Amino acid sequence: MPPDTAVRDSNARHDGWRTLLRFLPYLWPRDNPALRWRIVWACVFILLSTATQLVLPYLMKWAVDLMGATGPKLVQLAMLTVLGYSAGRLAQTGFDNLRNIVFEKVGQDATRQLAENVFGQLHRLSLRFHLARRTGEVTKTIERGTKSIDTMLYFMLFNIAPTVLQLLVVAVIFWINFGPGLVAATALAIAAYIWVTRVITEWRTKLREQMNRLDGQALARAVDSLLNYETVKYFSAEKREEERYAQATRAYAVAAVKSENSLGLLNIAQGVVVNLLMAGALAWTVYGWWRGHYTAGQLVFVQTYLTQLFRPLDMLGMVYRTIRQGLIDMAEMFRLLDTQVEVPDAPGAPALIIRSPSIVFDDVVFGYEPDRTILHGLSFEVPAGQAFAIVGPSGAGKSTIARLLYRFYDPLSGRILIDGQDIKQVTQSSLRAAIGIVPQDSVLFNDTIGYNIGYGRDGALANEIETAARGAALMNLIDRLPQGFETEVGERGLKLSGGEKQRVAIARTLVKNPPILILDEATSALDTRTEQDILATLHRVVEHRTSLSIAHRLSTIADADRILVLNEGQLAESGTHSELLRLDGLYAEMWARQAAEAEAMIEAAE
């Protein structure tokens, strides 16, 4: 991975030379000598191509001058000269394409490495970051940034360097053949060309930034709307969504028109500078020929050299625009790389070692925002092998406990211990490997049922996947499907019912087989019959394990070894089901209310 030379200032501009400096390690990877040799060979082919290109005008000049004389030997020499000119053009084409062939692996490897670095960074960032960002905007940022690096590699090495070299050599050739006047005129034209290109491109850069923002906004709205397809249908909001998307696309279209029009203005300004130079240089040569200072071949000589200069100069304008725009695109991606990891591993953190999987919350204070505290000094202990449950009204902090255990966030104060080890002092990968969860909202990958179940543990075998599916009461469904475990579940598992998705999530956790289980409303989406089957399975699974069940329906956790009742982020009550009923407090009130609701439903059904 290239060294991180980032500036950790979120307000700093990242689209200038600092971004370019961060980009250079991808051009010359220190840990890959083979790729560096490819760059060396590409430079050799660049020099050969440039040298060949600089010789071609001389061959054309000699051919024209020879054609102005007579004699059979001169004809043969002129013929050989034009044949040499054609051979030189062919050689230049060969060198250019060999350069591209040698360099292609460098560009692809740099693009791959940068994309992998950003993807890894996104998974290291906290849940808070992902809840605040739009998925469409993030994916668009990665797409634009990774595409720009290959383009910038190509232009920096194959356009800027050869163009500078060619300008220097042509200046020397013009000085020798025509004196300082033509050199000065060419230098003045190039300076004017560069100035015009820079000024207009800086203006276009602001338009490009606006286009990127509006493009990301349009994509984010499209992704958000399509992900919530069912919600849109529920509220007959198709027209509303189309209008929101149309607003974004219309704004993008206006910005795109301005950008393209500015490109036309830039091309006109560049054309004025280039053709003024061409006209002046050719007129000067014709005047010199009239006075007998130059030959007819020198007119072709000047025209050929200037044409060869104009081509890279035209490319130089496009290269500058591309690099400028690429820096903007890459800067957005580097901002992702520069985003501080909110929950990092402690330096030299060891792996979590579990012998007795106990859980301790020691005076934990936590809030998602500084001015909104969720947990107020929460303390409790779950002994190893015990089945504990957490209940309480909505907003009491039940699901927050699961997120803290997984270390998606760190407490503002207090400690969380597993087997006596502070989870902030061990690696997050080992911590999460020791915990399995069945979440309330089970989101699946857009792949097969077998893949989603096997996702619980890398390298899970087919028989283990089938056993887990059987334990989660999924085999009746899978046996009915023509493709069985190879059945696609659709994006976020939308081809399955809520209960089926929940059972896949349970099976996935069974495959993981962790020492600690968190059941966050694990049966909330299941019908009563399936719920009883799953509960029986879960009861077998949690034996000899430490489990923490977060529940709304109290009947599903009545047999827990201990029930913790939360209220407004604090532990209000604690005990077994019977002890809490005798206490006649918050738990007893919740139990009575749910029992009354159940009786009302039975009476209504009758």
Side-chain angles (χ1 to χ4, degrees), residues 83-120:
L83 291 176
Y85 178 85
S86 299
R89 287 178 58 85
L90 177 61
Q92 183 186 355
T93 301
F95 292 142
D96 287 343
N97 283 278
L98 286 173
R99 172 202 70 190
N100 293 341
I101 292 171
V102 169
F103 186 76
E104 181 62 27
K105 183 174 175 59
V106 178
Q108 292 298 328
D109 190 81
T111 302
R112 174 195 59 78
Q113 190 174 23
L114 183 58
E116 290 176 2
N117 290 346
V118 177
F119 186 76

mmCIF file of all heavy atoms in Angstrom, residues 83-120:
data_model
loop_
_atom_site.group_PDB
_atom_site.id
_atom_site.type_symbol
_atom_site.label_atom_id
_atom_site.label_comp_id
_atom_site.label_asym_id
_atom_site.label_seq_id
_atom_site.Cartn_x
_atom_site.Cartn_y
_atom_site.Cartn_z
ATOM 1 N N LEU A 83 10.712 6.642 -48.758
ATOM 2 C CA LEU A 83 10.493 5.313 -48.178
ATOM 3 C C LEU A 83 10.961 5.279 -46.721
ATOM 4 O O LEU A 83 10.320 4.664 -45.856
ATOM 5 C CB LEU A 83 11.232 4.251 -49.001
ATOM 6 C CG LEU A 83 10.673 3.975 -50.405
ATOM 7 C CD1 LEU A 83 11.554 2.968 -51.148
ATOM 8 C CD2 LEU A 83 9.231 3.452 -50.312
ATOM 9 N N GLY A 84 12.086 5.972 -46.461
ATOM 10 C CA GLY A 84 12.552 6.064 -45.074
ATOM 11 C C GLY A 84 11.567 6.814 -44.192
ATOM 12 O O GLY A 84 11.368 6.475 -43.021
ATOM 13 N N TYR A 85 10.938 7.842 -44.784
ATOM 14 C CA TYR A 85 9.910 8.595 -44.038
ATOM 15 C C TYR A 85 8.746 7.681 -43.656
ATOM 16 O O TYR A 85 8.288 7.691 -42.505
ATOM 17 C CB TYR A 85 9.430 9.759 -44.898
ATOM 18 C CG TYR A 85 8.339 10.586 -44.252
ATOM 19 C CD1 TYR A 85 8.660 11.615 -43.375
ATOM 20 C CD2 TYR A 85 6.990 10.342 -44.518
ATOM 21 C CE1 TYR A 85 7.670 12.386 -42.786
ATOM 22 C CE2 TYR A 85 5.998 11.097 -43.928
ATOM 23 C CZ TYR A 85 6.340 12.115 -43.069
ATOM 24 O OH TYR A 85 5.356 12.863 -42.470
ATOM 25 N N SER A 86 8.295 6.881 -44.601
ATOM 26 C CA SER A 86 7.183 5.964 -44.322
ATOM 27 C C SER A 86 7.592 4.911 -43.292
ATOM 28 O O SER A 86 6.814 4.565 -42.389
ATOM 29 C CB SER A 86 6.734 5.288 -45.619
ATOM 30 O OG SER A 86 6.290 6.249 -46.555
ATOM 31 N N ALA A 87 8.827 4.396 -43.439
ATOM 32 C CA ALA A 87 9.298 3.413 -42.461
ATOM 33 C C ALA A 87 9.383 4.026 -41.069
ATOM 34 O O ALA A 87 9.083 3.375 -40.056
ATOM 35 C CB ALA A 87 10.661 2.873 -42.900
ATOM 36 N N GLY A 88 9.813 5.305 -40.997
ATOM 37 C CA GLY A 88 9.883 5.980 -39.702
ATOM 38 C C GLY A 88 8.514 6.131 -39.054
ATOM 39 O O GLY A 88 8.366 5.959 -37.842
ATOM 40 N N ARG A 89 7.516 6.475 -39.860
ATOM 41 C CA ARG A 89 6.160 6.586 -39.316
ATOM 42 C C ARG A 89 5.668 5.238 -38.796
ATOM 43 O O ARG A 89 5.029 5.164 -37.748
ATOM 44 C CB ARG A 89 5.209 7.121 -40.387
ATOM 45 C CG ARG A 89 5.397 8.607 -40.699
ATOM 46 C CD ARG A 89 4.452 9.056 -41.805
ATOM 47 N NE ARG A 89 3.065 8.808 -41.449
ATOM 48 C CZ ARG A 89 2.311 9.638 -40.735
ATOM 49 N NH1 ARG A 89 2.829 10.777 -40.313
ATOM 50 N NH2 ARG A 89 1.056 9.359 -40.481
ATOM 51 N N LEU A 90 5.985 4.175 -39.545
ATOM 52 C CA LEU A 90 5.599 2.837 -39.085
ATOM 53 C C LEU A 90 6.312 2.477 -37.785
ATOM 54 O O LEU A 90 5.703 1.926 -36.856
ATOM 55 C CB LEU A 90 5.908 1.807 -40.172
ATOM 56 C CG LEU A 90 5.609 0.336 -39.804
ATOM 57 C CD1 LEU A 90 4.129 0.151 -39.493
ATOM 58 C CD2 LEU A 90 6.040 -0.587 -40.935
ATOM 59 N N ALA A 91 7.614 2.807 -37.722
ATOM 60 C CA ALA A 91 8.368 2.513 -36.502
ATOM 61 C C ALA A 91 7.803 3.281 -35.306
ATOM 62 O O ALA A 91 7.699 2.751 -34.193
ATOM 63 C CB ALA A 91 9.839 2.865 -36.714
ATOM 64 N N GLN A 92 7.432 4.547 -35.543
ATOM 65 C CA GLN A 92 6.857 5.339 -34.453
ATOM 66 C C GLN A 92 5.564 4.712 -33.944
ATOM 67 O O GLN A 92 5.328 4.635 -32.731
ATOM 68 C CB GLN A 92 6.605 6.767 -34.927
ATOM 69 C CG GLN A 92 6.070 7.668 -33.819
ATOM 70 C CD GLN A 92 5.681 9.042 -34.329
ATOM 71 O OE1 GLN A 92 5.890 9.363 -35.506
ATOM 72 N NE2 GLN A 92 5.112 9.848 -33.461
ATOM 73 N N THR A 93 4.726 4.254 -34.870
ATOM 74 C CA THR A 93 3.489 3.574 -34.459
ATOM 75 C C THR A 93 3.801 2.328 -33.644
ATOM 76 O O THR A 93 3.152 2.052 -32.623
ATOM 77 C CB THR A 93 2.661 3.198 -35.707
ATOM 78 O OG1 THR A 93 2.354 4.376 -36.453
ATOM 79 C CG2 THR A 93 1.377 2.490 -35.307
ATOM 80 N N GLY A 94 4.803 1.562 -34.084
ATOM 81 C CA GLY A 94 5.187 0.360 -33.341
ATOM 82 C C GLY A 94 5.678 0.683 -31.951
ATOM 83 O O GLY A 94 5.286 0.033 -30.965
ATOM 84 N N PHE A 95 6.559 1.705 -31.825
ATOM 85 C CA PHE A 95 7.078 2.082 -30.508
ATOM 86 C C PHE A 95 5.949 2.540 -29.576
ATOM 87 O O PHE A 95 5.929 2.195 -28.388
ATOM 88 C CB PHE A 95 8.114 3.196 -30.653
ATOM 89 C CG PHE A 95 9.394 2.760 -31.330
ATOM 90 C CD1 PHE A 95 10.054 3.615 -32.205
ATOM 91 C CD2 PHE A 95 9.920 1.500 -31.098
ATOM 92 C CE1 PHE A 95 11.225 3.220 -32.829
ATOM 93 C CE2 PHE A 95 11.097 1.095 -31.724
ATOM 94 C CZ PHE A 95 11.747 1.958 -32.598
ATOM 95 N N ASP A 96 5.013 3.327 -30.113
ATOM 96 C CA ASP A 96 3.900 3.818 -29.292
ATOM 97 C C ASP A 96 3.048 2.670 -28.765
ATOM 98 O O ASP A 96 2.644 2.664 -27.597
ATOM 99 C CB ASP A 96 3.033 4.788 -30.101
ATOM 100 C CG ASP A 96 3.711 6.131 -30.324
ATOM 101 O OD1 ASP A 96 4.684 6.423 -29.592
ATOM 102 O OD2 ASP A 96 3.289 6.881 -31.229
ATOM 103 N N ASN A 97 2.777 1.699 -29.627
ATOM 104 C CA ASN A 97 1.924 0.585 -29.195
ATOM 105 C C ASN A 97 2.668 -0.375 -28.278
ATOM 106 O O ASN A 97 2.058 -0.932 -27.347
ATOM 107 C CB ASN A 97 1.372 -0.148 -30.416
ATOM 108 C CG ASN A 97 0.230 0.606 -31.074
ATOM 109 O OD1 ASN A 97 -0.916 0.526 -30.653
ATOM 110 N ND2 ASN A 97 0.547 1.390 -32.101
ATOM 111 N N LEU A 98 3.974 -0.577 -28.511
ATOM 112 C CA LEU A 98 4.757 -1.387 -27.569
ATOM 113 C C LEU A 98 4.789 -0.717 -26.200
ATOM 114 O O LEU A 98 4.710 -1.384 -25.164
ATOM 115 C CB LEU A 98 6.175 -1.581 -28.105
ATOM 116 C CG LEU A 98 6.324 -2.557 -29.278
ATOM 117 C CD1 LEU A 98 7.740 -2.515 -29.819
ATOM 118 C CD2 LEU A 98 5.956 -3.976 -28.848
ATOM 119 N N ARG A 99 4.898 0.607 -26.197
ATOM 120 C CA ARG A 99 4.836 1.366 -24.943
ATOM 121 C C ARG A 99 3.518 1.108 -24.215
ATOM 122 O O ARG A 99 3.504 0.856 -23.011
ATOM 123 C CB ARG A 99 4.993 2.842 -25.270
ATOM 124 C CG ARG A 99 4.769 3.791 -24.109
ATOM 125 C CD ARG A 99 4.413 5.169 -24.654
ATOM 126 N NE ARG A 99 3.089 5.164 -25.266
ATOM 127 C CZ ARG A 99 2.605 6.177 -25.986
ATOM 128 N NH1 ARG A 99 3.359 7.241 -26.219
ATOM 129 N NH2 ARG A 99 1.387 6.123 -26.480
ATOM 130 N N ASN A 100 2.422 1.162 -24.945
ATOM 131 C CA ASN A 100 1.112 0.933 -24.328
ATOM 132 C C ASN A 100 0.992 -0.484 -23.794
ATOM 133 O O ASN A 100 0.440 -0.710 -22.709
ATOM 134 C CB ASN A 100 0.001 1.197 -25.347
ATOM 135 C CG ASN A 100 -0.085 2.654 -25.743
ATOM 136 O OD1 ASN A 100 0.420 3.522 -25.045
ATOM 137 N ND2 ASN A 100 -0.701 2.931 -26.883
ATOM 138 N N ILE A 101 1.491 -1.463 -24.562
ATOM 139 C CA ILE A 101 1.405 -2.867 -24.139
ATOM 140 C C ILE A 101 2.195 -3.087 -22.856
ATOM 141 O O ILE A 101 1.728 -3.743 -21.919
ATOM 142 C CB ILE A 101 1.916 -3.789 -25.265
ATOM 143 C CG1 ILE A 101 0.950 -3.752 -26.457
ATOM 144 C CG2 ILE A 101 2.083 -5.220 -24.759
ATOM 145 C CD1 ILE A 101 1.472 -4.458 -27.692
ATOM 146 N N VAL A 102 3.405 -2.519 -22.806
ATOM 147 C CA VAL A 102 4.251 -2.704 -21.629
ATOM 148 C C VAL A 102 3.640 -2.021 -20.408
ATOM 149 O O VAL A 102 3.695 -2.544 -19.287
ATOM 150 C CB VAL A 102 5.666 -2.152 -21.909
ATOM 151 C CG1 VAL A 102 6.492 -2.081 -20.634
ATOM 152 C CG2 VAL A 102 6.374 -3.025 -22.941
ATOM 153 N N PHE A 103 3.014 -0.845 -20.620
ATOM 154 C CA PHE A 103 2.542 -0.052 -19.494
ATOM 155 C C PHE A 103 1.158 -0.455 -18.992
ATOM 156 O O PHE A 103 0.799 -0.121 -17.858
ATOM 157 C CB PHE A 103 2.513 1.426 -19.897
ATOM 158 C CG PHE A 103 2.180 2.350 -18.763
ATOM 159 C CD1 PHE A 103 3.126 2.650 -17.794
ATOM 160 C CD2 PHE A 103 0.927 2.921 -18.652
ATOM 161 C CE1 PHE A 103 2.829 3.497 -16.744
ATOM 162 C CE2 PHE A 103 0.611 3.758 -17.612
ATOM 163 C CZ PHE A 103 1.569 4.048 -16.649
ATOM 164 N N GLU A 104 0.383 -1.180 -19.793
ATOM 165 C CA GLU A 104 -1.006 -1.457 -19.433
ATOM 166 C C GLU A 104 -1.130 -2.115 -18.063
ATOM 167 O O GLU A 104 -2.009 -1.771 -17.267
ATOM 168 C CB GLU A 104 -1.647 -2.337 -20.502
ATOM 169 C CG GLU A 104 -3.114 -2.679 -20.241
ATOM 170 C CD GLU A 104 -4.002 -1.453 -20.198
ATOM 171 O OE1 GLU A 104 -3.650 -0.437 -20.836
ATOM 172 O OE2 GLU A 104 -5.045 -1.506 -19.522
ATOM 173 N N LYS A 105 -0.251 -3.055 -17.758
ATOM 174 C CA LYS A 105 -0.320 -3.744 -16.465
ATOM 175 C C LYS A 105 -0.065 -2.784 -15.310
ATOM 176 O O LYS A 105 -0.667 -2.925 -14.240
ATOM 177 C CB LYS A 105 0.692 -4.900 -16.434
ATOM 178 C CG LYS A 105 0.635 -5.725 -15.150
ATOM 179 C CD LYS A 105 1.529 -6.930 -15.232
ATOM 180 C CE LYS A 105 1.555 -7.684 -13.903
ATOM 181 N NZ LYS A 105 0.205 -8.133 -13.497
ATOM 182 N N VAL A 106 0.798 -1.790 -15.530
ATOM 183 C CA VAL A 106 1.069 -0.802 -14.482
ATOM 184 C C VAL A 106 -0.197 -0.019 -14.155
ATOM 185 O O VAL A 106 -0.565 0.163 -12.997
ATOM 186 C CB VAL A 106 2.194 0.149 -14.918
ATOM 187 C CG1 VAL A 106 2.450 1.208 -13.844
ATOM 188 C CG2 VAL A 106 3.470 -0.626 -15.204
ATOM 189 N N GLY A 107 -0.876 0.453 -15.209
ATOM 190 C CA GLY A 107 -2.095 1.229 -14.991
ATOM 191 C C GLY A 107 -3.183 0.422 -14.321
ATOM 192 O O GLY A 107 -3.837 0.889 -13.375
ATOM 193 N N GLN A 108 -3.377 -0.807 -14.784
ATOM 194 C CA GLN A 108 -4.421 -1.647 -14.190
ATOM 195 C C GLN A 108 -4.097 -1.992 -12.747
ATOM 196 O O GLN A 108 -4.982 -2.037 -11.892
ATOM 197 C CB GLN A 108 -4.598 -2.925 -15.023
ATOM 198 C CG GLN A 108 -5.189 -2.682 -16.397
ATOM 199 C CD GLN A 108 -6.581 -2.086 -16.329
ATOM 200 O OE1 GLN A 108 -7.352 -2.352 -15.405
ATOM 201 N NE2 GLN A 108 -6.918 -1.264 -17.313
ATOM 202 N N ASP A 109 -2.826 -2.262 -12.452
ATOM 203 C CA ASP A 109 -2.448 -2.607 -11.086
ATOM 204 C C ASP A 109 -2.622 -1.419 -10.154
ATOM 205 O O ASP A 109 -3.084 -1.565 -9.011
ATOM 206 C CB ASP A 109 -0.992 -3.082 -11.051
ATOM 207 C CG ASP A 109 -0.630 -3.686 -9.707
ATOM 208 O OD1 ASP A 109 -0.958 -4.867 -9.474
ATOM 209 O OD2 ASP A 109 -0.028 -2.972 -8.884
ATOM 210 N N ALA A 110 -2.289 -0.217 -10.635
ATOM 211 C CA ALA A 110 -2.471 0.977 -9.806
ATOM 212 C C ALA A 110 -3.949 1.218 -9.526
ATOM 213 O O ALA A 110 -4.340 1.541 -8.398
ATOM 214 C CB ALA A 110 -1.854 2.190 -10.503
ATOM 215 N N THR A 111 -4.776 1.044 -10.558
ATOM 216 C CA THR A 111 -6.221 1.209 -10.378
ATOM 217 C C THR A 111 -6.763 0.190 -9.388
ATOM 218 O O THR A 111 -7.549 0.518 -8.486
ATOM 219 C CB THR A 111 -6.935 1.061 -11.730
ATOM 220 O OG1 THR A 111 -6.426 2.033 -12.639
ATOM 221 C CG2 THR A 111 -8.438 1.262 -11.578
ATOM 222 N N ARG A 112 -6.327 -1.056 -9.545
ATOM 223 C CA ARG A 112 -6.780 -2.119 -8.632
ATOM 224 C C ARG A 112 -6.369 -1.820 -7.202
ATOM 225 O O ARG A 112 -7.165 -1.948 -6.260
ATOM 226 C CB ARG A 112 -6.185 -3.446 -9.080
ATOM 227 C CG ARG A 112 -6.463 -4.607 -8.112
ATOM 228 C CD ARG A 112 -5.572 -5.794 -8.409
ATOM 229 N NE ARG A 112 -4.161 -5.469 -8.302
ATOM 230 C CZ ARG A 112 -3.523 -5.366 -7.142
ATOM 231 N NH1 ARG A 112 -4.173 -5.524 -5.991
ATOM 232 N NH2 ARG A 112 -2.238 -5.077 -7.117
ATOM 233 N N GLN A 113 -5.110 -1.420 -7.016
ATOM 234 C CA GLN A 113 -4.607 -1.188 -5.667
ATOM 235 C C GLN A 113 -5.349 -0.046 -4.985
ATOM 236 O O GLN A 113 -5.720 -0.139 -3.818
ATOM 237 C CB GLN A 113 -3.112 -0.896 -5.722
ATOM 238 C CG GLN A 113 -2.453 -0.869 -4.348
ATOM 239 C CD GLN A 113 -0.953 -0.713 -4.433
ATOM 240 O OE1 GLN A 113 -0.435 -0.209 -5.428
ATOM 241 N NE2 GLN A 113 -0.249 -1.117 -3.406
ATOM 242 N N LEU A 114 -5.580 1.024 -5.718
ATOM 243 C CA LEU A 114 -6.294 2.158 -5.141
ATOM 244 C C LEU A 114 -7.730 1.784 -4.791
ATOM 245 O O LEU A 114 -8.236 2.126 -3.717
ATOM 246 C CB LEU A 114 -6.277 3.340 -6.104
ATOM 247 C CG LEU A 114 -6.936 4.631 -5.610
ATOM 248 C CD1 LEU A 114 -6.271 5.109 -4.330
ATOM 249 C CD2 LEU A 114 -6.854 5.712 -6.671
ATOM 250 N N ALA A 115 -8.400 1.054 -5.690
ATOM 251 C CA ALA A 115 -9.779 0.633 -5.422
ATOM 252 C C ALA A 115 -9.841 -0.255 -4.189
ATOM 253 O O ALA A 115 -10.737 -0.125 -3.344
ATOM 254 C CB ALA A 115 -10.349 -0.086 -6.640
ATOM 255 N N GLU A 116 -8.879 -1.179 -4.055
ATOM 256 C CA GLU A 116 -8.868 -2.066 -2.890
ATOM 257 C C GLU A 116 -8.603 -1.286 -1.608
ATOM 258 O O GLU A 116 -9.195 -1.581 -0.560
ATOM 259 C CB GLU A 116 -7.808 -3.147 -3.081
ATOM 260 C CG GLU A 116 -8.159 -4.168 -4.164
ATOM 261 C CD GLU A 116 -7.049 -5.167 -4.401
ATOM 262 O OE1 GLU A 116 -6.006 -5.089 -3.693
ATOM 263 O OE2 GLU A 116 -7.206 -6.035 -5.283
ATOM 264 N N ASN A 117 -7.715 -0.296 -1.682
ATOM 265 C CA ASN A 117 -7.438 0.521 -0.490
ATOM 266 C C ASN A 117 -8.687 1.265 -0.027
ATOM 267 O O ASN A 117 -8.992 1.317 1.165
ATOM 268 C CB ASN A 117 -6.325 1.522 -0.797
ATOM 269 C CG ASN A 117 -4.966 0.849 -0.972
ATOM 270 O OD1 ASN A 117 -4.794 -0.310 -0.614
ATOM 271 N ND2 ASN A 117 -4.023 1.567 -1.545
ATOM 272 N N VAL A 118 -9.411 1.850 -0.984
ATOM 273 C CA VAL A 118 -10.617 2.602 -0.627
ATOM 274 C C VAL A 118 -11.688 1.670 -0.097
ATOM 275 O O VAL A 118 -12.370 1.968 0.895
ATOM 276 C CB VAL A 118 -11.136 3.405 -1.834
ATOM 277 C CG1 VAL A 118 -12.432 4.119 -1.491
ATOM 278 C CG2 VAL A 118 -10.102 4.415 -2.282
ATOM 279 N N PHE A 119 -11.857 0.514 -0.754
ATOM 280 C CA PHE A 119 -12.869 -0.446 -0.302
ATOM 281 C C PHE A 119 -12.569 -0.917 1.122
ATOM 282 O O PHE A 119 -13.463 -1.009 1.966
ATOM 283 C CB PHE A 119 -12.916 -1.630 -1.262
ATOM 284 C CG PHE A 119 -14.012 -2.616 -0.968
ATOM 285 C CD1 PHE A 119 -15.326 -2.337 -1.293
ATOM 286 C CD2 PHE A 119 -13.727 -3.830 -0.361
ATOM 287 C CE1 PHE A 119 -16.342 -3.232 -1.019
ATOM 288 C CE2 PHE A 119 -14.742 -4.745 -0.087
ATOM 289 C CZ PHE A 119 -16.041 -4.443 -0.419
ATOM 290 N N GLY A 120 -11.286 -1.211 1.383
ATOM 291 C CA GLY A 120 -10.917 -1.616 2.739
ATOM 292 C C GLY A 120 -11.157 -0.512 3.750
ATOM 293 O O GLY A 120 -11.614 -0.765 4.868
#
